[in-house]
Amino acid sequence: TQLLEQSPQFLSIQEGENLTVYCNSSSVFSSLQWYRQEPGEGPVLLVTVVTGGEVKKLKRLTFQFGDARKDSSLHITAAQPGDTGLYLCAGYMDSNYQLIWGAGTKLIIKP
Amino acid sequence: NAGVTQTPKFQVLKTGQSMTLQCAQDMNHEYMSWYRQDPGMGLRLIHYSVGAGITDQGEVPNGYNVSRSTTEDFPLRLLSAAPSQTSVYFCASSKLAGAYEQYFGPGTRLTVT
């Protein structure tokens, strides 16, 4: 059982559409990170959120940390083919000093 | 800076063979870790190190050994390869243990037949 559940597992949409992916848990995290991984490469950090209710924007990507720090979402506006990749969330719990990883959302943006 | 480097990029082993996956970082990071990535299961922590001379087990340590004799290097040894160890392996480093940005290597795709 994943401590961090990501949904959907797979999403394929047309260029220009909007989308939201989710990262949910029943546990509280002190911070949460979002990474993007392209085929044949390692994950690369997009953003870290640390405060409940925090919203961060990275160009067309909007990240939100839930008020209770148990969930997070990533919203992409006007998706581009360059957004294609595997999106991973990772939560940090002070209690065990480890990052807990979700299984990822595989996103394909078709031109 | 090269960041995190891993060798080899691809490897095929027969059941029972042993090998070492190499990992090096040039960012003077204290924390280093090894993950395996399997479809639908995300990244699973194998072993980690909070500094030179200190290593500990992660979620899936069986069949793997590590050592950390220097800050820069963190090799992962497969003692007796099994088909269940077929996976993509990533080495990562961060400034310290905790909620710091993880820098990943390019990965090693290992197939055990």
Side-chain angles (χ1 to χ4, degrees):
Chain A
T1 303
Q2 293 278 150
L3 195 57
L4 265 177
E5 298 285 345
Q6 287 192 244
S7 62
Q9 289 184 316
F10 179 79
L11 185 60
S12 179
I13 62 173
Q14 293 293 138
E15 180 178 2
E17 293 184 14
N18 301 333
L19 67 109
T20 302
V21 299
Y22 301 93
C23 178
N24 295 310
S25 177
S26 57
S27 301
V28 176
F29 294 96
S30 59
S31 65
L32 196 134
Q33 301 174 345
W34 283 92
Y35 290 77
R36 180 168 65 207
Q37 183 179 18
E38 299 188 18
E41 299 181 7
V44 176
L45 180 70
L46 295 172
V47 76
T48 300
V49 285
V50 297
T51 306
E54 182 177 4
V55 176
K56 280 193 174 179
K57 293 192 175 183
L58 188 65
K59 297 183 181 178
R60 292 175 295 98
L61 279 60
T62 302
F63 303 85
Q64 184 162 8
F65 202 13
D67 291 340
R69 292 185 287 128
K70 293 184 179 181
D71 54 82
S72 181
S73 64
L74 159 59
H75 181 78
I76 301 179
T77 303
Q80 303 293 315
D83 296 327
T84 292
L86 179 69
Y87 287 80
L88 295 159
C89 63
Y92 179 70
M93 301 173 74
D94 288 333
S95 59
N96 64 8
Y97 306 102
Q98 295 294 338
L99 275 175
I100 308 297
W101 292 85
T105 293
K106 186 172 183 179
L107 177 62
I108 295 177
I109 309 300
K110 295 176 285 188
Chain B
N1 284 350
V4 180
T5 57
Q6 287 184 241
T7 56
K9 183 74 172 173
F10 300 95
Q11 183 70 49
V12 179
L13 292 178
K14 295 186 185 301
T15 297
Q17 288 184 318
S18 62
M19 77 159 297
T20 299
L21 307 184
Q22 301 292 342
C23 174
Q25 53 90 10
D26 61 359
M27 297 173 281
N28 201 32
H29 285 172
E30 291 295 326
Y31 185 83
M32 296 186 74
S33 55
W34 276 102
Y35 291 92
R36 59 178 290 173
Q37 186 175 39
D38 301 291
M41 300 187 72
L43 291 166
R44 291 186 291 169
L45 183 65
I46 304 172
H47 285 284
Y48 64 96
S49 169
V50 298
I54 306 169
T55 64
D56 207 345
Q57 296 180 352
E59 179 187 357
V60 288
N62 292 341
Y64 308 94
N65 272 355
V66 291
S67 59
R68 184 95 179 270
S69 56
T70 67
T71 298
E72 293 78 20
D73 300 298
F74 191 43
L76 177 73
R77 283 182 289 277
L78 279 70
L79 309 174
S80 177
S84 60
Q85 292 179 305
T86 293
S87 187
V88 181
Y89 291 84
F90 288 98
C91 178
S93 74
S94 63
K95 180 181 177 182
L96 296 168
Y100 291 88
E101 177 177 2
Q102 302 294 309
Y103 293 83
F104 286 84
T108 295
R109 183 174 292 275
L110 175 68
T111 302
V112 183
T113 60

